[in-house]
Amino acid sequence: MASTGASRSLAASQRPPQGRSSRQDKYSVLLPTYNERENLPLIVWLLVKSFSESAINYEIIIIDDGSPDGTREVAEQLEKIYGPDRILLRPREKKLGLGTAYIHGIKHATGNYVIIMDADLSHHVSNLPCPVMKQKEGNFDIVSGTRYKGNGGVYGWDLKRKIISRGANFITQILLRPGASDLTGSFRLYRKEVLQKLIEKCVSKGYVFQMEMIVRARQMDYTVGEVPISFVDRVYGESKLGGNEIVSFLKGLLTLFATT
């Protein structure tokens, strides 16, 4: 994964200059959902409150994958409450994977920055200003939240879940040397055009998609900044992480190791 001077220059030339007024910026939040009926109203309210208090232009794009618990109906009500210019429901008929949810969502994003995060309140909205400020300070192409650096941390997980997460990151660091401390997290800010180009290169569709995005970003000489975040286990609903996802992650990791 050696970099060339030409590719660095090209990537740098595509970045806007530092200090551009934030009034020109718009942030599109992608919220993939599956059975998040209880969590969705609260996360949307918190996002709207945070963006409004900060005078940040925003939109929230909800990508529901055919949730049987009525999440789509809740999203429809939120769209009516806050307005279709702020809440955009872009559902799919069935569960098709996290990676394809982002691909679907970005097609409808009108912001020049895209924020991805979980809808289950694991990523508290209080984390939100950190990647925005970090991006502006360093003019980064990507800012990734990390649970494993600085004062970041994980709360509410049992020992088994912590071992799985730590183990996945440890193995990934050894095999891929990605230059980032948290490869499996899903709280990130991207320049929209960077996310679009990365999506074109990525082949993963499940949880390994997050890891591949950072690996491909390094290949393409995009700059990645990190901010410590607190990750809190979901209050309502059940975790989507199961045996199938773990097997898929390991297969994806080996594929990346063999092809990058």
Side-chain angles (χ1 to χ4, degrees):
M1 294 190 292
S3 302
T4 65
S7 61
R8 288 194 187 96
S9 299
L10 177 60
S13 68
Q14 294 171 338
R15 299 177 197 130
Q18 285 182 275
R20 185 178 64 175
S21 172
S22 61
R23 288 176 295 180
Q24 298 175 337
D25 295 330
K26 182 176 182 180
Y27 295 83
S28 299
V29 181
L30 303 187
L31 281 183
T33 59
Y34 186 78
N35 287 349
E36 298 293 355
R37 177 186 177 91
E38 295 94 345
N39 294 313
L40 188 59
L42 184 52
I43 188 66
V44 167
W45 180 80
L46 288 168
L47 284 169
V48 171
K49 183 174 184 292
S50 179
F51 282 128
S52 299
E53 289 177 349
S54 303
I56 293 176
N57 193 13
Y58 72 95
E59 63 185 2
I60 301 169
I61 302 172
I62 301 170
I63 308 112
D64 185 62
D65 273 5
S67 299
D69 73 337
T71 299
R72 178 171 176 170
E73 288 73 18
V74 170
E76 290 171 349
Q77 291 300 313
L78 292 170
E79 194 174 39
K80 292 177 181 178
I81 292 169
Y82 295 105
D85 59 326
R86 294 302 188 189
I87 308 296
L88 291 77
L89 173 60
R90 298 296 181 264
R92 303 189 296 177
E93 293 304 315
K94 60 181 180 179
K95 194 174 183 182
L96 299 171
L98 189 61
T100 60
Y102 292 137
I103 294 171
H104 180 73
I106 198 173
K107 293 177 182 177
H108 305 281
T110 61
N112 55 321
Y113 290 98
V114 175
I115 295 172
I116 63 171
M117 60 187 299
D118 293 342
D120 61 3
L121 299 173
S122 295
H123 301 136
H124 198 278
V125 176
S126 62
N127 294 318
L128 197 58
C130 298
V132 173
M133 290 188 293
K134 182 75 172 183
Q135 191 283 322
K136 294 189 179 303
E137 290 171 0
N139 202 31
F140 292 104
D141 297 309
I142 305 166
V143 177
S144 181
T146 175
R147 299 160 289 181
Y148 306 125
K149 191 175 181 180
N151 60 353
V154 175
Y155 303 92
W157 277 0
D158 58 21
L159 181 60
K160 177 183 176 182
R161 187 82 184 271
K162 289 181 179 179
I163 291 173
I164 290 173
S165 179
R166 283 283 191 177
N169 271 280
F170 179 73
I171 295 171
T172 302
Q173 296 292 339
I174 292 176
L175 293 180
L176 301 179
R177 301 187 183 278
S181 63
D182 191 344
L183 272 293
T184 57
S186 55
F187 184 78
R188 293 177 186 163
L189 182 153
Y190 292 86
R191 295 189 195 276
K192 182 182 177 182
E193 67 271 17
V194 168
L195 180 57
Q196 289 172 320
K197 291 175 182 177
L198 287 172
I199 282 175
E200 291 173 2
K201 295 290 184 180
C202 288
V203 298
S204 306
K205 305 303 179 186
Y207 284 87
V208 76
F209 177 83
Q210 304 289 14
M211 177 178 65
E212 184 177 0
M213 292 287 278
I214 296 296
V215 173
R216 300 295 180 191
R218 184 188 175 200
Q219 277 187 316
M220 299 169 71
D221 289 306
Y222 290 126
T223 55
V224 180
E226 288 191 311
V227 291
I229 64 168
S230 296
F231 182 95
V232 182
D233 197 22
R234 61 167 54 243
V235 176
Y236 300 108
E238 297 180 357
S239 171
K240 313 299 191 301
L241 181 65
N244 291 337
E245 284 73 20
I246 294 173
V247 172
S248 175
F249 173 84
L250 293 173
K251 288 181 178 178
L253 174 60
L254 294 175
T255 299
L256 280 177
F257 177 68
T259 59
T260 59

